Amino acid sequence: MANTYRGLGKIGLQDEEEFVDILEDKRHCSDLSFAFRTFSPPPHKGAAPCSAAELNKAVLESQYLRYVIQEVAVETGSSVEEVRGEVRRTLGEMSQNLQLRFIRLMAFTFRKVFKRLFSAIYVNVEGLNALQQAAQEGPVILMPNHRSYVDFLVVSYIMFSYDIPLPVIAAGIPLAGMKIVGEILRGSGAFFIRRAIGSDKLYWAVLSEYVRTIVRKGFAPLEFFVEGLRSRTLKSLPPKLGMMHMILEPFFKGEVFDVTLLPISISYDRVLEESLLAHELLGVPKPRESTAGLLKASKVLQENYGCMHVNFGRPLSVRRLCEGKINRCQYNHMPRDLPQKPNAEAQACGSWLAHLMVRVQEEGSLTSPWSLMACVLLQVPTAALTEEGLLFHQLTEQTLWLRKLALDFGAHLSWPGGCAMEKASDPDVMSSAVALHRSVVYRKAGRVYLLLADEPERKHPPSPEEDTMRTAAAVLMLASYRNQSLHVFVRPALLALAMSVTKSTQRDELLTCFCFLQDVFGNEFIFIPGRSSEDFEEACSLLKKCKALHVSQREVTVSDAGPEVLPFLQELLRPFVDSYQLMFRFLCEESDCVFTEKEFLPAVRAFATKLVVSGELPTYEALSSDVQKNVLSALLRLGAVTKIKTSENNQYKVNKTAVRRTGDMLAGRIPPQITQAAPDARL
Amino acid sequence: MASNSSGDSSSRHQTARHRLSVIAGHLQRPADSNAAVLAVECKAQGTTPNIRTGVRSEGRTVPRRRQEIMKWNGWGYSDSRFLFNKKGQAEFTGKRYRLSGMIIPGLKDWLESTFGASLQHKAPATPILNSSAVQPPTVNEAFVEELRSTGVPFSHEAEDRVFRSHGHCLHEIFALREGKIGRIPDMVVWPNCHNDVVKIVELACKHNVCLIPYGGGTSVSSALECPPEETRSIVSLDTSQMNRILWIDEKNLTARVESGIVGQDLERLLNESGYCTGHEPDSMEFSSLGGWVATRASGMKKNIYGNIEDLVVHIKTVTPRGVIEKSCQGPRMSTGPDIHHFIMGSEGTLGVVTEVTIKIRPMPEYQKYGSVVFPNFEQGVACLREVAKQRCAPASIRLMDNEQFKFGHALKPQVSSIFTSFLDGLKKFYITKFKGFDPNHLCVATLLFEGDREKVLQHEKQVYDIAAKFGGLAAGEDNGQRGYIMTFVIAYLRDLGMDYYVIGESFETSVPWDRVLDICRNVKARIVRECKDKGVQFPPLSTCRVTQTYDAGACVYFYFAFNYRGLSDPVHVYEQVEHAAREEVLANGGSLSHHHGVGKLRKEWMRETVSTVGMGMLQSVKDYVDPNNIFGNRNLL
């Protein structure tokens, strides 16, 4: 497992790709005639078309479900017919009903909406061509990242425009609950998955057989979000593995020759849900998905959201990727239809692939000027940013410096004026970025300020806590745009952090610390399991490339550009380090060693707010529920916190010494030790 | 066992020799069995007028000097081969086969369109064996001296030795065509009977000579390849002259036969008495009874007659430890693990099979061919599965995929009458236009029914009824019969391909029913992908057929071939692809081999196939039976 991911460089984005604006070449034809265009994807070489009803029938009659139904009937004491009825209902709730007429409706609506929302939707045609090729050969899995509700059907829309077979899409069940819209989504190919499946064996069985049947039949590409959810922070999320296994199993068991994974990176200049997401992170509940809500949200349609880039990665063959990682003979001894838990090898392989896909998605995403500006802006203390602002020309200068660094680190930029046609000067680029993001910042008298939301009318003056929340919302919005480009810097930044933590130049010490940091921040940033030393090497070589470090066999020392680059990178991770330390402190200071998740989040938020108000805590990001949850997961992984009850209310037990020790290691007070975290094998 | 193998080897030798001589003494007596032989041979002689004089006077096919009738660097008889005549039409020469002397108009197009081959690009073979390329023999003088005194014929001639140095793997034939000759036997001996073999084995043990048994030479597992690391003198023990039917037991329906007899002779001779074994492997023209036993062969009509393990009643084998055989001819025994199963599949590593009692059956009253066209391969497999489920498989049922169906078409000989071609056109129209079968998906099953007339017709109806349920259409006797005739000429076709830069081979496996479709698809796709990855410039032919059905699974045969123009080391590429294909077979739940055996070609997978303990069991048998590795072909283990 150690030597994984051959040719990382080759897998991701091909060098500079040409992007075309799909709105541009369609602007001159009417929405209606676009929606009624002849849709003629090239025929699949092996797979026959399969209607929704045929698919459901195949699932229902599968040997696998027959086994499971039998089992469940025995376990629950109900009759086989009853269980079958249950399965039928579940399938009804789940199943897609892909029909071209719905796609046409969707295409019509989307085109109207997209033209209003976005100035351009760029796609890389080469990637699409490769996809079209792959779609004729065998089952294709489309794996976009998930940053906005818009992601959901944009891929189908592009497929429709380019004569590529339309995908069936895994969606969360709340969407199905929307009146009419739910049915339209179904007709557009969505199938719906319940959120908390837990240990519902029958549901798992139906879902997995449904997914496997789609893969086996290969009549349509399957689209799913490997991160499982929309990322509230615009950072990548740790991949969910259940779906990944369902997709891999038909290959492992030889039911298909190969499965093609197609990573898709969707990057937004500006995300529709930006403010909603920030508030959600601060504990304001997400509005339920409803048609009424959707209509109400139509006011977001009044605004401009800049460009959207949809970058189709190169098709990846699961067969090639898994070479030497999986022994397919293990399925020779039992009927393949028998319910069987994937063994450790298969799980590790799935986890590795899922993480790999997230990494490839990251590599394929485009970094906007605004995202780099956000990185720069967040290095200014928040109070200063709201009160005094940052000189615009300073912002420009630093952003350009960062742009160079990002390019050194191999980032793909969506810098307007990349092509000669629309040559724009750099200050213009940044002015327009500020203008586009007037919901976050404003410019006044040559300075750029963080914009706080309007105060609601109220009788008494706002409390310091209320003020904090207002600022936090603005900071989190800004932070989410910084997060869009964090993957570019994270490995070098971790090394820079390791250097400041250990105060050492010894390579092996730094590696140990680097691994420790990867471990601690394992939920914050996504690393491919078992690749720490490669990640370390990568960090070294990138920092060497930008002349920040000298790297020798034994030592890593600061070089010319180091004093500029390293503090910047350390500062980039500061909010995370501070937030983690705060949470560690909170857990150690709590008198009670046992708490539930429900109690934990508000308590820690109150604690953080207090410290922010008092000026003790410099970062507002500690208020984000995302960081709070990540700390908890990290501590669970490191064994400093243990779960004691797994029914409805999760209870946690803190090992204060261990938490304190982790904090001390993170602060460099004691040398880090690698706690051998078991390979992530959640399903 | 352990104490045995670590015992003093010279004393062990002596006991072995003693036992051999005692057994040999027993065997010199049987006067009554000689009479039976004579009786049979009289019959055989009666038929000699029909057999041409080039063949041995007794009417046996295989002479001591195989080169008199067979190719030294290709398949089969010297007089039979495919070639492109002056008009550029394919033609099959000779008089032996139904296809002989016929023009095959479709072959050129098929060859060109399937492989991108061209008649302009020829890769001719070295025409004659260059004796100077052959290493001089390593002679064990003492062994030769003593052997001479026994009167068993032998030879050191280069041609004789080269003939016995190979089977018919692609790399073996390819090397011969290029005139490259590696390690070959140093000497060939031709025992005439069991006793001769006993003497030879005894002498080989005494003088530490390596023996490699040779039957029909049709191996496709590198089993006959001489281990290059072997430093002893290698003696090829050619059983071809031990080819008599010793007796026929009409009360029990068995026959005692010497192991060197080849399939076609065995069937012909038994036919003369009104019997048959019904064992018809595709290689039956040349492969021998002893070879079948040593490799666990399977015949086309196993559904009626059984595979070799079902046919054999008694086996006599000469090993370095002595002769191994059972004490009686009981049809089944519960006497511990069946010792026959140590011999069957031993691939010449334990000794030489000399005589076999084999079941015989009265010749079938009636034979009928048939064929069924299916809209696609999936339906065809489903039909075969149903036939197996109902246990009503005809003598033979084979399902070819679409590529093979097209290939079969390309091999249709020129039809003389316009009426026939019109009829063909009509059939095609009916199937593709009227029934809507896609010519790029349809596939065909060939059938052979045997038995008494009434039952055959009844059986036929049952099978066609099942086929109809899976969308199958009866497609006539001719198509079926042609399918089976093709079996025997296909091997010749590889030589033609090699004349035009096309190399290829077949391999087989057995697999549970639920895996059949998956394995076919995946292995074929793997071959295509590997060829592409390895730089093969033209798309390969990658095709399969289901050739046998069992209760719990089927035997699948793959053919693959490609045009190797532009490759610097085509055989290496070929071997890599074949290796990958075998890995794919195993990953898809297929067996290492259904009937070709392991030899040296598939040895590397034996351990995972039979488990480490299993290997140990086989190894300990080898260690006991042949402690000095006299039977040193190094197959299997």
Side-chain angles (χ1 to χ4, degrees), chain A residues 467-483:
Chain A
D467 258 346
T468 309
M469 285 318 249
R470 231 152 47 92
T471 318
V475 170
L476 288 185
M477 260 159 85
L478 189 58
S480 66
Y481 287 107
R482 171 207 61 198
N483 289 345

Side-chain angles (χ1 to χ4, degrees), chain A residues 213-234:
Chain A
T213 309
I214 292 171
V215 175
R216 277 196 288 256
K217 287 190 173 272
F219 63 96
L222 171 64
E223 179 182 338
F224 85 103
F225 300 104
V226 69
E227 295 163 298
L229 302 163
R230 237 169 355 123
S231 167
R232 266 59 171 168
T233 57
L234 305 191

Side-chain angles (χ1 to χ4, degrees), chain A residues 254-255 258 319-320 336, chain B residues 514 518 521 529 533 584:
Chain A
E255 293 162 335
D258 198 355
R319 175 176 275 270
R320 281 190 214 280
R336 291 171 297 168
Chain B
D514 73 312
D518 291 333
R521 177 192 55 241
R529 186 177 278 195
D533 288 355
E584 192 62 33

Side-chain angles (χ1 to χ4, degrees), chain A residues 250-261:
Chain A
F251 166 71
F252 288 166
K253 292 188 170 175
E255 293 162 335
V256 294
F257 176 67
D258 198 355
V259 173
T260 302
L261 304 182

Side-chain angles (χ1 to χ4, degrees), chain A residues 395-621:
Chain A
L395 173 62
T396 318
E397 237 167 69
Q398 286 185 32
T399 306
L400 289 176
W401 172 83
L402 188 57
R403 175 186 144 164
K404 206 185 142 292
L405 191 67
L407 285 173
D408 275 343
F409 288 173
H412 298 278
L413 297 183
S414 56
W415 204 272
C419 58
M421 291 265 292
E422 33 177 335
K423 191 76 192 161
S425 76
D426 293 327
D428 285 353
V429 168
M430 276 173 254
S431 299
S432 60
V434 169
L436 182 65
H437 291 279
R438 57 179 175 276
S439 53
V440 186
V441 291
Y442 64 97
R443 186 174 165 185
K444 205 167 74 186
R447 286 178 171 271
V448 177
Y449 299 85
L450 185 66
L451 175 74
L452 304 188
D454 295 333
E455 277 175 57
E457 289 291 324
R458 55 174 108 225
K459 300 204 171 100
H460 56 91
S463 67
E465 284 76 16
E466 280 168 337
D467 258 346
T468 309
M469 285 318 249
R470 231 152 47 92
T471 318
V475 170
L476 288 185
M477 260 159 85
L478 189 58
S480 66
Y481 287 107
R482 171 207 61 198
N483 289 345
Q484 284 184 319
S485 56
L486 216 45
H487 63 91
V488 174
F489 303 105
V490 68
R491 284 166 191 80
L494 278 188
L495 178 55
L497 185 59
M499 292 175 78
S500 88
V501 167
T502 57
K503 312 263 182 321
S504 165
T505 56
Q506 293 302 306
R507 215 180 147 128
D508 44 356
E509 260 178 77
L510 288 173
L511 174 61
T512 313
C513 184
F514 185 89
C515 296
F516 164 74
L517 292 173
Q518 277 199 331
D519 228 7
V520 171
F521 294 119
N523 292 69
E524 213 66 57
F525 316 112
I526 310 308
F527 302 105
I528 299 171
R531 259 185 61 89
S532 292
S533 44
E534 285 92 337
D535 282 333
F536 180 75
E537 291 307 318
E538 197 184 320
C540 286
S541 84
L542 290 179
L543 284 171
K544 200 170 136 189
K545 191 171 157 201
C546 70
K547 300 197 174 56
L549 290 183
H550 278 305
V551 182
S552 69
Q553 286 256 281
R554 291 266 189 76
E555 273 198 318
V556 177
T557 50
V558 180
S559 114
D560 314 340
E564 206 177 354
V565 173
L566 298 177
F568 176 85
L569 293 176
Q570 287 152 3
E571 202 55 34
L572 201 60
L573 295 185
R574 253 294 279 295
F576 297 99
V577 177
D578 287 346
S579 306
Y580 275 56
Q581 288 291 18
L582 168 99
M583 238 90 59
F584 294 161
R585 190 175 139 197
F586 169 78
L587 288 172
C588 292
E589 284 177 10
E590 267 294 275
S591 55
D592 207 352
C593 277
V594 176
F595 59 88
T596 66
E597 191 168 344
K598 264 190 192 152
E599 297 159 5
F600 173 72
L601 292 180
V604 83
R605 187 176 295 126
F607 182 67
T609 313
K610 203 175 79 196
L611 292 186
V612 169
V613 171
S614 73
E616 221 176 312
L617 180 68
T619 178
Y620 284 75
E621 290 185 47

Side-chain angles (χ1 to χ4, degrees), chain A residues 180-200:
Chain A
I180 307 168
V181 176
E183 285 317 302
I184 294 178
L185 290 177
R186 234 181 252 280
S188 308
F191 64 95
F192 299 100
I193 304 176
R194 287 183 202 159
R195 275 287 174 235
I197 305 171
S199 54
D200 186 341

